Amino acid sequence: MLAALLGQQGLQTVVLERREVPFTEPRAIAFDPETLRTIQRIGRLDALAHTLELDVPVGYYNGRGQLLARMTSTAKRYGFSPRGTFYQPELEAAIAGALDGYPSVSVFRGITVGDVADLGSHTCLSMTDTAGAIHRLNARYTIACDGGASRIRERLGIAFDGSTFAEKWLVVDVQHDDYPHREIRFFCNPKRPAVTLPVSKNRRRWEFLLMPGDDEACFADQDNARALIEALSGSSPRYIERSLVYSFHARIAERFRSGRIFLAGDAAHVTPPFAGQGLNGGIRDAANLAWKLAAVCQGRMRDPVLDTYDAERRAHTHAMTALAVRLGSAIMPTSRSRAFVRDLAMKTMWAIPSQRARLDRGDVIPSPSIDRSSLVNWAAGRPVGQMIPQPVIQIAAGETLLDTLLGPGFSLIGIDVDPREALSPADFATAEALQARLVHLGPGGDGLDTAGELTQWIGLKRGMLLVRPDRFLVDRIPVERPGDKLAWMRRAYHVVASPARANQAERTAA
Ligand SMILES: Cc1cc2nc3c(=O)[nH]c(=O)nc-3n(C[C@H](O)[C@H](O)[C@H](O)COP(=O)(O)OP(=O)(O)OC[C@H]3O[C@@H](n4cnc5c(N)ncnc54)[C@H](O)[C@@H]3O)c2cc1C
């Protein structure tokens, strides 16, 4: 994903992958709407459609099969289904397909990176090919996306603190599924906690907690997996694609940047899968880092803007990992007394209408945000720092999702005001330096937010929204704001002022 986003910006990018052929086993399975939004940016939604199972409800059931809580809302706040599943090899293939369209990206398979040296002005990678030949490559920046056991993280001496759970899970992927419930089902049964998820094309995932006394060595045997599935579903799966015992970890690297080297994806953070967050978190990393790297490498911003990657991603990563750990401890109790207390707590919450509505909407999931970022004009008040919703916009040709109007870069959206008329010459120069697209939503403009979703969210009847390429709102600008409205941004984003642009702005201002 990172390579695709960099390729979209025309950045010379080299992908080095140890495997000669793509990994074909599914691991990640649940998506977040922000992930689909990022895939929308690289134009691969159509290629992905066949592997998505959209609007899948989530249900939690106790040992007696009674419903404890359920999430069913299908509100498309970010333009897409709030939850659902995919088949990881197909998702990865759809994303990788984007690279064919970016001539500045080269992919080399069968290459194992041994080390990366930060030489101050650039990085130098040493690597081995399948024939054992050693190669070197110089790059301005290196991003280590080499998984949870990241060799690069280890070589940099970056601590990977957190915990590994004592509990182990059997993960079974089946095909030709005939389990009748189209739901992500958590069986919170103290006798053996389990989870099942429907996947596109009649596939299904089953997960079972190993209990004391289970023999791990033969637990993943197909006969055992079949027996466990049959006991829960009443029928034996026709085809088991894969059956494997996993340990889960919750760890976050002590820093995501070391000079010219960055960590992303599992190399930076690993989380238990109960909130379906590992791959989604990696895509958030890519969306955060890509535009910053492009802006720095293309001379539009200076290097310190890259320091914000760690601060912006860390708080949300912590929040998501904590959610996964909490969900894990709600699902995993194997003592009857703890399960009883859990059931009571969940049933009580479910009985309170306001709490039930919160759960149903998925409000317990931390919303995408860049808290503690220095790249946000916090003085403008909430919802700055949050991801903007993606409503359907009425345009001359019909309807479209908002991001289609915004394009892949920065955007300045005028609500009932044309940004071209509301900006000072200096602001124009800043917008130009950021390559921001100016969009007017309102009568006679580029489109109409007919449901008023953005107006409501922003709490402004007339004003502008400054939105980053990763769709976070960084400023909320009432038309009355005096002076240069974007002056703060030039400093915060380390924007490189082009002399030509500055002169032009001065001349226009004069
Ligand atoms: C059972 C299970 C269920 C999960 N469910 C979900 C879910 O529902 N939702 C979700 O979002 N996530 C889920 N995850 C997590 C998700 O699978 C991972 O977070 C995600 O695959 C990590 O992607 P990555 O690219 O960072 O790392 P990886 O997928 O591990 O990729 C790292 C790549 O780097 C390559 N590599 C490593 N070292 C080198 C080297 N020295 N040189 C060259 N190449 C190298 C590897 O070959 C590999 O291709 C789940 C994980 C498991 C195990």
Side-chain angles (χ1 to χ4, degrees):
M1 175 57 84
L2 183 57
L5 291 167
L6 294 172
Q8 189 178 49
Q9 304 278 323
L11 220 67
Q12 289 294 326
T13 306
V14 176
V15 180
L16 303 167
E17 168 56 51
R18 182 171 60 188
R19 289 178 178 275
E20 289 183 81
V21 289
F23 192 46
T24 52
E25 291 187 352
R27 288 168 299 154
I29 195 161
F31 67 76
D32 278 351
E34 304 108 273
T35 289
L36 299 189
R37 195 172 193 177
T38 307
I39 293 171
Q40 175 190 17
R41 262 175 72 195
I42 56 163
R44 296 300 288 172
L45 279 177
D46 288 348
L48 195 70
H50 72 108
T51 194
L52 294 180
E53 198 66 32
L54 302 171
D55 295 332
V56 185
V58 181
Y60 297 85
Y61 298 84
N62 69 7
R64 276 179 284 161
Q66 295 167 327
L67 180 72
L68 297 174
R70 208 155 185 255
M71 273 189 244
T72 57
S73 164
T74 54
K76 295 178 175 46
R77 177 174 196 133
Y78 300 111
F80 298 102
S81 166
R83 90 197 77 72
T85 59
F86 57 82
Y87 185 66
Q88 188 171 0
E90 289 173 354
L91 176 112
E92 289 184 359
I95 295 173
L99 301 181
D100 298 339
Y102 302 128
S104 65
V105 180
S106 313
V107 180
F108 295 95
R109 290 193 161 275
I111 299 286
T112 301
V113 176
D115 203 2
V116 189
D118 185 341
L119 302 176
S121 59
H122 64 279
T123 61
C124 179
L125 296 97
S126 38
M127 64 202 85
T128 324
D129 64 22
T130 43
I134 296 172
H135 306 267
R136 289 200 203 293
L137 176 80
N138 289 339
R140 278 183 78 178
Y141 294 99
T142 292
I143 299 89
C145 310
D146 51 345
S150 169
R151 183 192 291 207
I152 298 178
R153 186 189 64 232
E154 209 179 287
R155 300 289 269 224
L156 292 170
I158 298 178
F160 202 38
D161 291 331
S163 51
T164 293
F165 291 83
E167 296 88 349
K168 295 191 172 178
W169 285 77
L170 171 69
V171 175
V172 190
D173 289 296
V174 308
Q175 296 183 3
H176 311 295
D177 167 54
D178 53 13
Y179 187 62
H181 304 289
R182 189 184 175 276
E183 179 179 63
I184 299 175
R185 234 169 219 227
F186 288 88
F187 302 91
C188 306
N189 183 351
K191 288 187 187 151
R192 182 174 311 275
V195 187
T196 187
L197 304 93
V199 189
S200 56
K201 300 180 192 160
N202 248 6
R203 304 178 186 115
R204 177 168 287 277
R205 158 84 48 95
W206 291 92
E207 299 177 359
F208 300 93
L209 181 67
L210 270 70
M211 303 294 285
D214 284 336
D215 180 358
E216 190 187 330
C218 54
F219 203 72
D221 288 355
Q222 293 223 351
D223 288 346
N224 185 53
R226 274 180 197 286
L228 288 167
I229 293 171
E230 196 168 349
L232 261 186
S233 72
S235 72
S236 176
R238 273 189 270 161
Y239 178 71
I240 294 188
E241 182 184 2
R242 183 193 72 136
S243 166
L244 215 61
V245 172
Y246 276 97
S247 298
F248 295 134
H249 318 269
R251 293 179 184 275
I252 301 181
E254 129 198 66
R255 53 188 201 280
F256 298 165
R257 177 178 193 184
S258 172
R260 290 184 166 269
I261 305 167
F262 296 85
L263 303 179
D266 275 19
H269 40 74
V270 287
T271 165
F274 307 113
Q277 280 308 312
L279 179 140
N280 288 302
I283 290 192
R284 285 191 194 98
D285 295 344
N288 188 292
L289 196 50
W291 65 265
K292 295 176 186 170
L293 281 168
V296 171
C297 291
Q298 292 168 345
R300 283 177 276 122
M301 292 177 196
R302 280 182 285 274
D303 175 280
V305 77
L306 293 167
D307 287 337
T308 60
Y309 166 63
D310 189 310
E312 290 190 347
R313 287 294 303 124
R314 187 166 294 275
H316 192 258
T317 302
H318 266 292
M320 282 301 199
T321 308
L323 173 74
V325 171
R326 273 201 311 279
L327 281 175
S329 47
I331 298 155
M332 283 196 284
T334 50
S335 97
R336 288 178 59 175
S337 53
R338 280 187 59 205
F340 176 78
V341 173
R342 183 262 331 270
D343 291 359
L344 196 65
M346 285 182 80
K347 277 184 183 166
T348 309
M349 210 154 68
W350 193 240
I352 303 169
S354 59
Q355 291 300 325
R356 181 189 284 223
R358 269 191 75 228
L359 272 173
D360 189 46
R361 284 194 306 265
D363 286 358
V364 284
I365 301 167
S367 58
S369 61
I370 44 171
D371 290 336
R372 290 185 225 153
S373 170
S374 56
L375 301 183
V376 175
N377 182 17
W378 294 109
R382 287 285 175 184
V384 293
Q386 303 282 310
M387 181 174 278
I388 61 162
Q390 184 174 203
V392 172
I393 301 292
Q394 188 80 43
I395 55 170
E399 286 184 337
T400 188
L401 283 171
L402 173 69
D403 291 6
T404 323
L405 295 180
L406 306 187
F410 278 86
S411 45
L412 195 58
I413 309 172
I415 305 228
D416 248 357
V417 58
D418 188 344
R420 296 161 196 92
E421 287 163 14
L423 294 181
S424 69
D427 285 338
F428 257 120
T430 308
E432 202 187 303
L434 293 169
Q435 298 182 343
R437 194 177 279 191
L438 308 182
V439 177
H440 174 196
L441 295 183
D446 302 300
L448 278 175
D449 171 19
T450 38
E453 205 177 316
L454 271 184
T455 318
Q456 261 175 36
W457 183 73
I458 196 76
L460 278 180
K461 287 221 166 63
R462 279 191 85 224
M464 289 179 289
L465 286 70
L466 184 54
V467 181
R468 302 196 321 193
D470 52 6
R471 311 305 182 208
F472 283 99
L473 178 73
V474 292
D475 201 0
R476 170 183 175 275
I477 312 169
V479 272
E480 309 81 46
R481 184 186 289 175
D484 293 339
K485 297 173 174 53
L486 304 181
W488 72 272
M489 215 187 158
R490 282 195 289 275
R491 288 186 298 275
Y493 280 72
H494 303 271
V495 174
V496 176
S498 117
R501 275 193 299 260
N503 288 342
Q504 191 190 354
E506 260 168 42
R507 276 203 308 278
T508 323

